[in-house]
Amino acid sequence: MRAANKGGEGWVEISYVVDTNGNVQDPIVNDFVGHNDFKMAAIEALEKWQFSSAIKDGQPTEQCHQNIRFEFFMGKQNGASRKLIRRYKEANVLLEQNDLASAAEKK
């Protein structure tokens, strides 16, 4: 709600494991841009998902190294706003220059 009230937008990339019952286990936020609340919202949504189990040699098996990207935006626009795109491009230039501290501030 705080992010929505501020017109927040951004994205969250999460890696996770699907267990033998098709449940999400061990979600880890790999990267995000935007409001911190997006991280928890993305994890909470992902943990509600149910998958079909992978089968190996006739038995259910875990599916490791799964990844998903949740995108958050407010309004009726399609895609990211100019502001988010500009911040992303600025951070990308800083990453290419190996200026990790400055790039992290762009989140």
Side-chain angles (χ1 to χ4, degrees), residues 86-102:
R86 185 185 78 248
R87 286 179 29 207
Y88 175 82
K89 287 180 179 179
E90 290 169 353
N92 203 32
V93 167
L94 292 168
L95 287 173
E96 289 173 358
Q97 296 171 352
N98 206 25
D99 187 353
L100 302 179
S102 296

Side-chain angles (χ1 to χ4, degrees), residues 1-105:
M1 290 302 291
R2 286 183 291 190
N5 289 335
K6 293 181 179 181
E9 61 180 300
W11 49 264
V12 179
E13 291 179 351
I14 302 175
S15 61
Y16 59 97
V17 174
V18 177
D19 69 15
T20 57
N21 295 316
N23 299 308
V24 171
Q25 300 293 321
D26 305 320
I28 298 171
V29 173
N30 297 322
D31 199 6
F32 80 102
V33 168
H35 201 279
N36 278 329
D37 290 345
F38 292 152
K39 294 186 289 186
M40 187 54 69
I43 289 172
E44 287 175 359
L46 180 62
E47 287 178 333
K48 293 177 183 177
W49 292 6
Q50 182 71 37
F51 294 88
S52 297
S53 300
I55 304 296
K56 182 177 181 180
D57 299 326
Q59 298 295 319
T61 186
E62 287 187 343
Q63 300 172 63
C64 300
H65 308 294
Q66 304 298 307
N67 292 292
I68 186 82
R69 180 175 173 150
F70 288 85
E71 296 187 8
F72 297 87
F73 64 93
M74 303 297 154
K76 296 180 181 180
Q77 69 190 42
N78 290 326
S81 70
R82 288 185 206 132
K83 180 180 176 184
L84 179 62
I85 292 169
R86 185 185 78 248
R87 286 179 29 207
Y88 175 82
K89 287 180 179 179
E90 290 169 353
N92 203 32
V93 167
L94 292 168
L95 287 173
E96 289 173 358
Q97 296 171 352
N98 206 25
D99 187 353
L100 302 179
S102 296
E105 291 174 6

